[in-house]
Every structure is written in C-alpha cells, then in structure tokens.
Amino acid sequence: MKGRGATGQAMKRIGIALGGGGVRGLAHVLVLEVFDQLGLRPALITGTSVGAIVGAAYASGVPAAEMRTLCLRHIVTRNDRLGDVIGKRAHLRIWLNAFGLETGRGGLLSPERMFGYLFKGLPVSTFEQLHIPLRVIAADYWAAREVVFASGELLPALRASCAFPGVFAPAVVDGRVLVDGGMVNNVPYDHLRDACDLVIAVDVAGTRQAERQSVPGFIDSIVGAFNIMQEAEMARRLSRAPPDIYVHPRIRNTRVFDFTRIEEVFEQAAPAVARFRQELERAL
C-alpha cells in the first residue's frame, strides 16, 4: 500500500513470501509481528504450504500477536502451571483429534478435520474478501508445474498447497491433482517482483544437525530428502536473483510435523527475526 512518510516520500510497497516447512513455518508469525509493531502493512503476500496458511490468516485481518497466542494455547509450555494446563485441555483435545488417520488412498493423515478446525473462525472464505492480496502456490502432480491461486475459494487452495506427498492425500481442484507447493516453489518471492518495491523472503527450511551420524527413520528420510531438494533449488535461485531481504531462521532438529515444539520454534527463530527488524528499518 502506497502512502506518505514523515519526509513526504512515497512509502515502498512491501511484498513478503512465506515458505513451507511444517511446524517451523510458525516462525512466520514472529516475522509478521514486526510489521504490526512498526505499523506496516504488506502490499502482497505469497505463501507455500504452512506459509500459505499463516499468510491467509494474517491477510484476513488476524493480528500476528493473536496468532502467537493461539499457537501457544494448543501446547503445554514449560512455564505452564497445573491450572494453565487444565484451562487448555479443551484446545489440546481438539488439536489432537484434528490429526485423524486417512482411511482412503494417498496419505497417512486426513486434512479435513485439521483444516476445518484451523479455519473455523476465519472471517473470510474467498481471496477477494482478504484485506491483503494473497497468492498461494501448489504443484500440479501430473503436469509437473506450478499452480498459483489468487482468486476464488480460499480453502481448496490452502488444502492443495499443504498436500505434503505421502502424509496428506493430494487435492483435486478444477480437475487437477495438486500436491504441496514446496515441490516447485517453496519460497515464492519471484511472484512479488512485479508488484512490489521491496521483496522479502522468509525461508523456514530446517537445519539438520547430525547426532552421531545416526541413520534417519522412515518418515525423517522422506522429509529430509525433500528438504535437501528444496535447499539445492533455493541456493540456485538465491545466486541468480536474490530478494531484497532474506530471512532464514536457524531452526535445528525440529521434525516437520512435531507441533508440540512450537515454543522451541519461536525461541530459535527470535535472533533471525530481530535481525530482520533491523534490516527492514534500514531498508525503509
């Protein structure tokens, strides 16, 4: 959004790309808190997988601080007392039940209950109703190409963008079989360049740290190989056309679907977010 600063100069149109990364993607909430604290509003948000979910919630008008509170309400933190845990029990039970097993083909978990719960209170249902324009990235399984959602129903687009292969079943939207957008564009900052003056990319890909060179298990092997592919592609893109600001929180040894470690994600992401705030203030 263009405006006028104290000097009379036009404010830069800021675009932010929120990458995929499972529970690590909740670090996006801290990055968006910086916008709220500085009184800024992105002109455009692009998102893949969990980045699309966080981006959709923020673009619908949910403040980042409220999202942080909601995240911590669904886990037992180290500072919680017995009374706090008892007060959270309804949220803990609902969140546990949200991860139902998939009885059909294509994935281990059913996304229907999870998405139904996540977006039950969302004040919008379409892209057109969002307060901030949003583009959501998914991958066409059979055509092996990127699919960009920017209009129409919001939930099918988010469902498709998060369809991590083998974990969630592919989504079928308008006759196309779609899977997780991280397969083709995990941090979609390239979609910001034409519309924004300042491009920010937030990469929440995990940082692996070997423990005695241990051999990873079945799920960790699949997810880890997926991450290696994403890291190689990201390095190539950064070398050719980097964003104006690149944010990469060093979140170590956090499994992609381990939502009990939200508090650790916030703690590990904090230093990178502090550096981001300084870079953003300098850029503006």
Side-chain angles (χ1 to χ4, degrees):
M1 183 171 70
K2 290 260 188 184
R4 292 277 167 182
T7 62
Q9 295 179 328
M11 292 288 288
K12 292 183 178 181
R13 289 174 58 87
I14 306 172
I16 184 166
L18 306 177
V23 67
R24 299 186 295 264
L26 296 180
H28 294 316
V29 173
L30 275 64
V31 173
L32 293 172
E33 276 189 321
V34 173
F35 280 84
D36 291 344
Q37 292 162 1
L38 296 179
L40 299 173
R41 177 176 172 179
L44 175 63
I45 299 173
T46 59
T48 296
S49 198
V50 67
I53 292 178
V54 175
Y58 189 73
S60 74
V62 180
E66 184 176 327
M67 282 193 273
R68 184 204 282 250
T69 299
L70 289 171
C71 289
L72 295 177
R73 189 179 296 167
H74 292 86
I75 63 168
V76 177
T77 70
R78 64 174 63 94
N79 293 322
D80 280 343
R81 298 181 179 180
L82 179 59
D84 298 320
V85 176
I86 293 174
K88 290 180 176 181
R89 60 185 177 182
H91 297 285
L92 296 171
R93 188 184 309 116
I94 292 172
W95 187 235
L96 181 63
N97 292 335
F99 289 89
L101 289 176
E102 177 67 61
T103 56
R105 300 189 314 174
L108 296 174
L109 300 176
S110 170
E112 306 307 329
R113 277 185 286 177
M114 184 186 75
F115 275 84
Y117 177 61
L118 281 175
F119 295 102
K120 182 179 180 181
L122 204 67
V124 304
S125 60
T126 68
F127 281 86
E128 290 75 12
Q129 294 171 325
L130 294 170
H131 303 299
I132 300 171
L134 174 72
R135 295 176 187 171
V136 171
I137 309 301
D140 188 315
Y141 180 82
W142 292 113
R145 65 175 60 142
E146 179 180 287
V147 176
V148 182
F149 291 94
S151 62
E153 292 294 319
L154 193 57
L155 194 57
L158 298 175
R159 164 79 171 78
S161 186
C162 296
F164 192 92
V167 177
F168 295 118
V172 179
V173 181
D174 296 331
R176 294 177 297 188
V177 179
L178 305 179
V179 295
D180 194 299
M183 298 292 294
V184 289
N185 196 348
N186 197 47
V187 190
Y189 65 87
D190 52 312
H191 290 282
L192 299 170
R193 293 200 178 280
D194 292 341
C196 301
D197 305 311
L198 183 68
V199 173
I200 301 167
V202 188
D203 183 1
V204 292
T207 302
R208 292 177 305 282
Q209 185 174 2
E211 297 178 0
R212 300 178 183 176
Q213 294 297 314
S214 59
V215 177
F218 174 68
I219 295 296
D220 287 341
S221 294
I222 295 174
V223 175
F226 190 71
N227 288 156
I228 291 170
M229 176 193 72
Q230 291 175 333
E231 289 172 15
E233 174 61 17
M234 191 67 192
R236 184 189 67 81
R237 293 176 61 212
L238 289 172
S239 67
R240 295 178 61 181
D244 298 305
I245 299 178
Y246 177 60
V247 187
H248 189 188
R250 299 297 176 179
I251 303 172
R252 301 181 183 277
N253 295 337
T254 301
R255 288 184 171 87
V256 68
F257 297 113
D258 189 356
F259 284 88
T260 65
R261 301 184 68 177
I262 295 174
E263 189 176 23
E264 294 177 43
V265 168
F266 287 161
E267 290 173 352
Q268 292 190 58
V273 174
R275 290 191 296 273
F276 162 66
R277 177 171 181 148
Q278 294 174 347
E279 288 185 70
L280 180 58
E281 289 178 320
R282 283 197 298 267
L284 296 177

